[in-house]
Every structure is written in C-alpha cells, then in structure tokens.
Amino acid sequence: VAVMREPIHNRVAQEFLIRFLRQLATYQDVQDALRATCQSFKLDKNLTYPSAYLVPSLFRHPDAVPFRLQPFGWQEQLKQWLPTKREAIALTAVISLSLFIPVQEWLLAQRLVVQARYRQLTGQLSAGQSPPILLVQIDDQTIQKLGISAVSPMDRRVLAQLVDRATAMGARVIGLDYLLDTPQPHDADLRRSLAAAVTQNQSWLVFAARQNKAGQWIGVRPEIVSPHWSLSGDLWTPYWRIRPLPWSNARLLPFSYLLATAAHLQNPSLLATRATPPRATLQSPAPLTSQFTAYTQEIGAPLITQRMKLHPITALSYSLCHPWTEEPLCHRWLQPLLDFSLPPQQVYQSVSAWKFLQPPTAVLPTGDRASLQNAIVIIAPGGYDQAGITRVGEDNPTLPAAIAHWRQQQGDFNELFTGGEIHAYMTHHFLNHHLIVPIPDLWLVLFAGLVGKALLLHLQQRQLQPMLGLLLLGLAILSYGLLSLQLYLTAALLLPWLLPSALVCTYLLPDFWSRYRDA
C-alpha cells in the first residue's frame, strides 16, 4: 500500500496519483514507481508543494513481491522474448561457433570419445561375434618381408598372391582398395587370379575408382578384369561421414556400399524372391553393373534405407562451405556419421598381408576363420608412407580420437589410421544399417535460446532460492547429457550437448547471481 505519513492537501494527492500511475504504466514495480514519483516531486514541485516528496511511503511485507503491471498484447509479449544486449552477444558467439566447421569437427571428435567411454561403461557393446569384414593390409612389415620394390603403384604380383589366398579360403566378396589404371608388367598374373576367384567361388570382385578433374572415371584397366564380371565403386569418402545414396548419375556407387551389397546378395534367402540375384561369371553376356541395376529396379535397392538417401537439407548445407581451405570444408547437416564409438574389433578384423599369405591357421589370432565364405575381404594399403592417389601419405588420415581410445584400451599406441579402415567402417554401417544422424548444432543452439529465455521469464515471476536454482540447472543439464548419450545408442541420433547447454547457462546464471547478491 502506498501511504502518506502525514495529512496532505487534495491537490498534492491528485498530482501524486497521476505521476504514480504514469510510472506504473511503464511497467515498473510499485517500489520503483513510488521512488521515481518522489524524485519528480523533489525536482519539479519542491517550490509548489514543499517537502511533499518526503510524505509518501510504501507499506508491504518484506518478503512480498512488489506489484508490477504485466504487458499485454502480442507486441508486448514479443518484446519480452527479444534478447537483451548480453543475451544477444552470447547468442551470436555460440551461433558463430556452431557454424565454424573446424570447431564443429573438433567437438564431434570429442563427443565420439565420450560416446565410446559411455558405451564401454554401460556395457552396450555387441556380443562377441566374429566381424564380417577381414581387412588385409599391405603394411611396412609386408613390404620388408616380401621384398616388395614397387609400392607406388603396388606390385601386381603381390595383389595376385593375396587374391589367390582369399580364393583358396573360399572368399565370396573381394574388394581391392587400389587404383589399377596404369599398365604394369604383371597384369596378366593378376587377371588369372581374379578369373580363378570368379570361376571357383563365383566371387564378387569390387575395385576402387575415382573421378579426375576432367570428370573421367579412373579405376581398373579392362586388360586386368572385365566389367562383365566385376564392379567398380567410388573410393571417395566425406570427412568422417557416410556418403548419402542414391547419388547423381554422374557418380559411381560407393566402393563400400558395393561390398556390402555383394555380401547381402550372397544370402541364400534372396533366392526365394521373384527375381534371381545376379551372379558373377566369366560368361556373363552383360556388364555386371547393368545386371545389378536391373535387379535393383525390379526388387528395390538392397540395403538402402531412408537415412541413406540424400536429404534436401544435407544438399543445402553443402553450399555453406568455408572456401579459404585448400579443399573447402562444407557443412554436412543430417549426413550420417562413421560411428567410431564402436570398437574396431567389432567392425573388422585386421591382418597384415604377409601373415595372410601364411597357412590358414596362422592368419588370425583367434583361428576361427579357416573359411572366408561369409566374410568380406578388403585388400588395402596398411599405412606405408607412399600410400596415396594424388599425393604421398594421402591414404593415412589423422587418427580419430575415439579410435585412439579403443586402441589404448588394448595397449596399442599405434597412431596409423588408413583409408582401408574407413572403408571397413563404412561397409559395416551399410551392411548393418548402422547410421547415426547428427542433429546440427545450429538447430539446437537456436532451440536452446528459446528454452533459456522461457525459463528466465518464468523464474523472474518466482521467488526461487539461487542455490536451489543452480542445483536444478545442473541436474537438468546432466540429465540432458545422459539422455543424448543414450539416444545415440538406442535411436541413432546425435544431439549436441555442449553449446546448447552453455547458452542456457548464459541466460540463467546472471539471474541466479543477482538473486544471490541481493540476498
């Protein structure tokens, strides 16, 4: 109640009431409005109404919330939601971080490490099954033990020996992660080995190819293998992402997708379908790619799910590139990730090429794969320095932090990571429909801005103890973090945590601090 401590003239009361109501109309609380009214009497009416500014007083309970008129109408409501200067600075800074691709890639790498630790801590790992992919790597030890002198390009006799070993062990799907576009002295040896694999096991042969700057595809020479009994796949892989499907007609299907599809078509249950799956034979009257395309048009593309298709938002995000790098970095919103939170030993089994050429019992430490009939064999470079297509070492990208974590758990501190391992992960994801879709940080940041502002407006109308508010905020952020970690595993969605949580804190923490200071 606004009271007068002494009797006053009615003209003073009327003047006071008008000024007091005008202050309330500016949405000040009653305490600030009374103080402002007294100040105006002191400055403007001190001669007309001497000492009148000393008479008004506010009578209220100390813990009562001072009355304040609330704005009404959609325009006034909209003004409440507009960010203050401090909030606008915080929002702009966090949005900038969410659009800066190097920061995003670093945050993604750290998130996958946390995801790997969470998967390990909660025991949400796959059962101890033999992985379907055998990665045969031609590494430095192989080069030394076999005395290989030509490594760039790789000696075709070595590739022929590896294909012969895979054929002898019953491999039905063999992929070569090597470009075989230049003539070599021993091309005939490799052709005989590849033909034997098709003749003896009806093996699917998948070769790597790439598109040069002129738009031409470079892959395997027809003198080495005929397109009537082989497939060629694009070896390009987006940075730690799975290439969406289907792609434009100008591009080949991914190398890893063809490997996974070939393994899928070896499933006997497909023989019961209305269409007979294509088979690799030396007497094939049409290119195997044409047979594969006709088959997919009749029954639908094998292994392709909705998440594999190129999303319009993903296509739009490609236009948001950072052009100042040598190879422009582009946003890849909603493009599925390579899930390095899965330990490598559950995705593929790696063996050095020189060991692979030994008797079958010495191929793998477990000795449980005397036959490779149900396996996908990928022959790839194993980390030697010359591995690469356009430059030396190109096939040896930076070791992902999550892979480093898994290796350290096994006591392995090897820092090599190869393109063959990337193809192995991608093949596993295609084969098992394991597609993790990341929600863009920008989306969650904008949503967090709305949530933070809504919570702030709600708390401003409540008498909440600052320490209790901090506790509730911490619990909410922790709960959201655990939820996002679990959704990654159960719903295959990656929800950003750090930037949205930081933005909500910038909205609420100053309010809690002011309450604590006033208390």
Side-chain angles (χ1 to χ4, degrees):
V1 180
V3 299
M4 301 299 171
R5 293 194 299 272
E6 299 177 6
I8 60 173
H9 195 278
N10 189 50
R11 291 173 59 185
V12 177
Q14 292 179 357
E15 184 72 22
F16 170 81
L17 180 61
I18 292 174
R19 294 183 177 230
F20 181 62
L21 292 179
R22 286 175 178 171
Q23 296 296 333
L24 288 177
T26 62
Y27 304 110
Q28 298 185 68
D29 64 40
V30 65
Q31 184 172 343
D32 292 338
L34 182 65
R35 185 183 298 113
T37 303
C38 294
Q39 183 69 13
S40 67
F41 262 75
K42 179 180 179 180
L43 297 177
D44 301 336
K45 297 293 183 178
N46 194 28
L47 297 178
T48 307
Y49 309 124
S51 302
Y53 69 93
L54 299 174
V55 179
S57 181
L58 187 66
F59 179 80
R60 69 181 182 93
H61 191 279
D63 294 333
V65 179
F67 171 78
R68 182 197 303 267
L69 288 173
Q70 298 300 322
F72 60 92
W74 68 269
Q75 293 180 334
E76 296 297 335
Q77 293 293 333
L78 180 61
K79 289 180 181 179
Q80 293 185 10
W81 286 86
L82 293 178
T84 63
K85 182 179 179 180
R86 174 181 53 79
E87 294 167 352
I89 294 175
L91 184 61
T92 302
V94 177
I95 288 178
S96 300
L97 290 176
S98 69
L99 290 175
F100 190 49
I101 295 179
V103 172
Q104 289 297 296
E105 296 297 339
W106 184 85
L107 290 175
L108 176 60
Q110 304 311 309
R111 170 61 184 273
L112 289 180
V113 174
V114 174
Q115 201 69 51
R117 295 180 184 274
Y118 178 78
R119 188 188 289 273
Q120 184 179 23
L121 182 64
T122 57
Q124 300 185 68
L125 300 169
S126 303
Q129 300 176 354
S130 179
I133 301 168
L134 178 63
L135 182 60
V136 180
Q137 295 187 305
I138 302 178
D139 52 13
D140 287 324
Q141 287 188 347
T142 300
I143 294 173
Q144 296 297 326
K145 289 183 177 294
L146 300 184
I148 304 174
S149 58
V151 295
S152 182
M154 178 55 63
D155 192 334
R156 304 287 161 81
R157 288 176 300 179
V158 177
L159 298 179
Q161 293 174 11
L162 295 174
V163 172
D164 288 338
R165 171 60 69 184
T167 302
M169 299 179 68
R172 304 289 299 277
V173 180
I174 303 175
L176 275 76
D177 186 21
Y178 278 95
L179 285 181
L180 307 176
D181 58 322
T182 57
Q184 297 294 322
H186 302 284
D187 285 349
D189 296 336
L190 181 56
R191 182 181 178 89
R192 282 192 294 268
S193 299
L194 295 172
V198 174
T199 302
Q200 298 178 24
N201 300 331
Q202 287 190 330
S203 301
W204 284 68
L205 304 175
V206 182
F207 295 88
R210 75 177 184 92
Q211 193 173 28
N212 60 18
K213 294 182 179 180
Q216 300 172 339
W217 284 99
I218 301 174
V220 57
R221 302 180 69 242
E223 291 80 6
I224 296 177
V225 65
S226 170
H228 285 242
W229 38 279
S230 67
L231 296 173
S232 292
D234 188 359
L235 56 75
W236 174 69
T237 56
Y239 190 68
W240 304 152
R241 301 294 197 283
I242 295 177
R243 214 187 78 186
L245 296 170
W247 202 253
S248 63
N249 295 330
R251 296 197 72 92
L252 297 177
L253 289 170
F255 173 74
S256 52
Y257 172 76
L258 292 177
L259 288 173
T261 304
H264 177 72
L265 294 180
Q266 300 287 357
N267 190 343
S269 63
L270 292 178
L271 298 176
T273 62
R274 64 181 182 273
T276 303
R279 290 288 180 262
T281 61
L282 298 182
Q283 295 76 28
S284 175
L288 191 57
T289 302
S290 301
Q291 300 179 48
F292 175 81
T293 303
Y295 177 76
T296 56
Q297 290 177 350
E298 185 170 354
I299 69 166
L303 302 182
I304 292 185
T305 62
Q306 189 63 35
R307 287 192 173 187
M308 291 183 187
K309 297 180 180 180
L310 179 63
H311 198 284
I313 294 178
T314 306
L316 175 64
S317 69
Y318 289 161
S319 62
L320 303 176
C321 295
H322 289 196
W324 56 79
T325 57
E326 181 178 353
E327 295 182 0
L329 296 173
C330 296
H331 292 278
R332 297 184 175 93
W333 292 342
L334 303 182
Q335 186 169 345
L337 301 171
L338 288 177
D339 185 12
F340 294 132
S341 73
L342 284 173
Q345 58 270 21
Q346 291 189 2
V347 175
Y348 63 89
Q349 197 161 4
S350 178
V351 60
S352 181
W354 72 270
K355 290 184 179 180
F356 184 70
L357 295 175
Q358 303 303 311
T361 55
V363 170
L364 300 175
T366 57
D368 60 352
R369 187 177 280 156
S371 173
L372 298 177
Q373 184 174 357
N374 298 320
I376 301 173
V377 178
I378 302 177
I379 300 173
Y384 54 88
D385 293 339
Q386 297 87 342
I389 299 174
T390 60
R391 61 180 181 271
V392 174
E394 184 182 17
D395 196 62
N396 304 321
T398 304
L399 178 68
I403 299 296
H405 164 75
W406 289 120
R407 288 183 179 178
Q408 291 172 7
Q409 299 300 306
Q410 303 294 325
D412 181 8
F413 297 93
N414 180 18
E415 295 184 359
L416 282 176
F417 190 68
T418 66
E421 293 176 283
I422 296 177
H423 286 303
Y425 265 91
M426 196 174 299
T427 303
H428 171 274
H429 294 350
F430 280 129
L431 192 61
N432 296 278
H433 303 287
H434 187 82
L435 301 172
I436 307 296
V437 175
I439 304 301
D441 276 69
L442 177 63
W443 298 8
L444 266 293
V445 164
L446 295 176
F447 180 73
L450 293 176
V451 171
K453 191 66 175 183
L455 291 175
L456 180 62
L457 294 176
H458 178 74
L459 292 175
Q460 286 177 346
Q461 302 175 4
R462 299 289 185 273
Q463 285 294 101
L464 182 66
Q465 295 296 326
M467 297 307 297
L468 177 60
L470 285 174
L471 178 61
L472 293 177
L473 177 61
L475 290 176
I477 292 177
L478 178 61
S479 299
Y480 170 68
L482 293 175
L483 175 64
S484 65
L485 290 174
Q486 188 59 40
L487 283 177
Y488 183 98
L489 302 180
T490 56
L493 286 176
L494 190 154
L495 296 179
W497 175 82
L498 180 61
L499 293 183
S501 300
L503 183 60
V504 172
C505 289
T506 59
Y507 273 74
L508 299 181
L509 289 180
D511 182 72
F512 292 151
W513 170 249
S514 64
R515 291 170 186 255
Y516 176 78
R517 185 179 53 192
D518 294 341

